[in-house]
C-alpha cells in the first residue's frame, strides 16, 4: 500500500530526546519493506514556544506559522537521520517534490509547507496528492472523543465517525498558529472530498502504526456513507 502517516510533534519530540525518533525509525523501516511510506512530522511544544516568542514580538499569524514550519522541518530532519539510508535525504517543501522523491523507493519525510496549513492538513493533502491507500494520524490521545479526555474522565472514544459529523464537531475551534486541536477543519475537508481511508490513533506507542495497517481495531476510523 501507499501510506501517509502524520506523527504529531507532541509525540515525536516528547521529552526532547532521541527515543521516539529511534522507535519510529525501526517501525518505519520494517513497514517500508512492504509498503510505500510518506511521513509528515509536526512541531510540538518547541514550535509553540517559538511561536509564542514571535507573537510577543508583534509578529502576525503568517510569520508565526512560518516559524512553526521551520521547527517541523527540524523534526523531520531528525527522523531522516534516524532512518539513515531508508529515508530520502532531502525534506520536500511541497507535494510535487514529495511525489518526485518517492521515486527513489525510500521513505519520504517532510514537515509543514505553508502558512495556515497544520501538519494534519499537510498529511491529508499529501495523501490526496499521491493517491494514498490510507492516511494515518498519530496523536497524543487514543482517537476522537465526545469531549476532551484530558479534562473529562467520562469522555467516550468514538470508534467510527463520518467526515461530515467530524466537521460539525470541530467547526467552532480556534485555528491560530500553534494552537493544538484534535484535528483541523481543512484536513477533514480533504479527507471528505477524496473519501480517503483515515485512522486517528495514539502515537505514543509506535507499534500502533503496524496494528492500523494490519486492520486491527484501534483508534477512530473515518467512514464514508
Amino acid at each position: 500500500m501507499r501510506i501517509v502517516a502524520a506523527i504529531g510533534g507532541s509525540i515525536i519530540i516528547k521529552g526532547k530526546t532521541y527515543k521516539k525518533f529511534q522507535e519510529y525509525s525501526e517501525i518505519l523501516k520494517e513497514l517500508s519493506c512492504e509498503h510505500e511510506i510518506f511521513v509528515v512530522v509536526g512541531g510540538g511544544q518547541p514550535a509553540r514556544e517559538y511561536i509564542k516568542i514571535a507573537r510577543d514580538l508583534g509578529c502576525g499569524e503568517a510569520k508565526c506559522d512560518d516559524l512553526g514550519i521551520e521547527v517541523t522541518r527540524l523534526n523531520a530532519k531528525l527522523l531522516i537521520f534516524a532512518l539513515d539510508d531508508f529515508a530520502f535525504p532531502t525534506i520536500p517543501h511541497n507535494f510535487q517534490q514529495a511525489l518526485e522523491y518517492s521515486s527513489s523507493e525510500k521513505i519520504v519525510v517532510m514537515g509543514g509547507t505553508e502558512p495556515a496549513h497544520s501538519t494534519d492538513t499537510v498529511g491529508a493533502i499529501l495523501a490526496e496528492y499521491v493517491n494514498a491507500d490510507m492516511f494515518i494520524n498519530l496523536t497524543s490521545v487514543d482517537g476522537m472523543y465526545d469531549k476532551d479526555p484530558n479534562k473529562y474522565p467520562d469522555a467516550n472514544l468514538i470508534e467510527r465517525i463520518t467526515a461530515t459529523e467530524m466537521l460539525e464537531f470541530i467547526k467552532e475551534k480556534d485555528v491560530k498558529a500553534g494552537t493544538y486541536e484534535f484535528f483541523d477543519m481543512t484536513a477533514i475537508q480533504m479527507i471528505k472530498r477524496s473519501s480517503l481511508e483515515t485512522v486517528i490513533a495514539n502515537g505514543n506507542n509506535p507499534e500502533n502504526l503496524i496494528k492500523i495497517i494490519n486492520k486491527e481495531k484501534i483508534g477512530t476510523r473515518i467512514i464514508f456513507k
Side-chain angles (χ1 to χ4, degrees):
M1 291 194 297
R2 177 174 278 184
I3 296 161
V4 173
I7 306 174
S10 60
I11 298 298
I12 202 153
I13 199 69
K14 188 176 183 179
K16 298 179 182 177
T17 74
Y18 71 95
K19 291 183 180 180
K20 277 292 183 283
F21 291 96
Q22 186 177 67
E23 290 171 8
Y24 266 105
S25 72
E26 295 305 315
I27 297 295
L28 292 166
K29 287 175 186 177
E30 180 181 340
L31 289 171
S32 70
C33 295
E34 296 185 28
H35 306 285
E36 186 177 2
I37 307 292
F38 296 79
V39 183
V40 179
V41 183
Q45 186 60 33
R48 287 189 282 277
E49 290 170 357
Y50 276 100
I51 286 168
K52 182 182 182 303
I53 293 170
R55 196 172 282 137
D56 289 345
L57 287 170
C59 295
E61 290 302 307
K63 288 183 178 178
C64 290
D65 269 337
D66 189 59
L67 192 62
I69 288 166
E70 292 300 321
V71 179
T72 67
R73 289 173 179 167
L74 285 174
N75 287 344
K77 179 65 75 174
L78 284 171
L79 184 56
I80 288 171
F81 289 164
L83 287 163
D84 200 19
D85 288 340
F86 281 78
F88 191 81
T90 303
I91 297 169
H93 285 201
N94 57 58
F95 306 111
Q96 178 61 35
Q97 286 181 350
L99 186 59
E100 290 173 359
Y101 296 170
S102 71
S103 64
S104 67
E105 299 186 354
K106 293 180 180 289
I107 298 168
V108 175
V109 185
M110 65 188 295
T113 54
E114 58 189 67
H117 282 179
S118 72
T119 46
D120 286 345
T121 294
V122 171
I125 297 173
L126 176 62
E128 183 181 68
Y129 193 91
V130 303
N131 195 26
D133 297 295
M134 181 182 289
F135 175 44
I136 301 169
N137 186 273
L138 296 162
T139 184
S140 58
V141 292
D142 292 335
M144 182 175 178
Y145 286 79
D146 56 359
K147 49 189 170 184
D148 190 343
N150 296 315
K151 296 180 181 178
Y152 303 99
D154 61 339
N156 296 307
L157 178 68
I158 300 170
E159 295 182 354
R160 294 164 68 85
I161 189 170
T162 67
T164 300
E165 290 168 340
M166 189 176 281
L167 282 169
E168 286 296 314
F169 184 84
I170 69 157
K171 65 181 180 180
E172 301 299 329
K173 301 297 184 181
D174 193 354
V175 291
K176 285 184 178 179
T179 300
Y180 175 77
E181 295 296 349
F182 170 72
F183 215 48
D184 71 57
M185 186 77 72
T186 307
I188 301 168
Q189 289 169 338
M190 294 295 107
I191 291 164
K192 180 180 178 180
R193 79 176 189 180
S194 58
S195 298
L196 177 63
E197 181 177 0
T198 301
V199 178
I200 304 159
N202 196 318
N204 284 302
N205 181 2
E207 291 190 1
N208 282 344
L209 193 52
I210 295 175
K211 293 178 181 179
I212 294 166
I213 291 170
N214 290 338
K215 305 294 186 179
E216 293 186 32
K217 189 176 180 181
I218 184 172
T220 297
R221 186 176 296 272
I222 299 177
I223 60 173
F224 300 90
K225 295 180 180 179

